Amino acid sequence: MKVNHQKEQCMVCEEYREEGIRILFSFLCRDCEKEIVDTETNEVMYDYYVKKLKRMNTSKVEL
């Protein structure tokens, strides 16, 4: 099995990373995924992550 190690830009931290997940047309790096999962709703960073993740809904649909 051939693995592609192309770096993609994370939609949250905007860094280029190799490991992460694709959600719709966006990429979320492993580090940000972990931070989001570990963030409680009463923490300051929660609103920041919500705003960043909302960008998924406004991404262009590629045909």
Side-chain angles (χ1 to χ4, degrees):
M1 178 182 217
K2 191 174 183 179
V3 178
N4 184 6
H5 290 287
Q6 182 178 350
K7 290 185 178 184
E8 295 187 63
Q9 188 175 25
C10 176
M11 62 183 288
V12 175
C13 68
E14 300 179 2
E15 296 290 326
Y16 285 87
R17 306 288 174 99
E18 291 182 1
E19 294 185 8
I21 58 173
R22 289 200 92 354
I23 304 171
L24 299 175
F25 301 103
S26 301
F27 176 76
L28 181 65
C29 76
R30 222 26 88 105
D31 294 338
C32 288
E33 176 188 2
K34 182 175 179 356
E35 288 297 319
I36 290 168
V37 169
D38 293 342
T39 302
E40 298 291 331
T41 57
N42 61 342
E43 292 181 46
V44 174
M45 289 302 291
Y46 180 81
D47 289 332
Y48 170 79
Y49 292 134
V50 169
K51 287 177 186 173
K52 288 287 191 171
L53 293 172
K54 280 183 180 181
R55 291 188 327 185
M56 283 190 304
N57 290 334
T58 60
S59 296
K60 289 191 269 184
V61 176
E62 298 173 11
L63 300 176

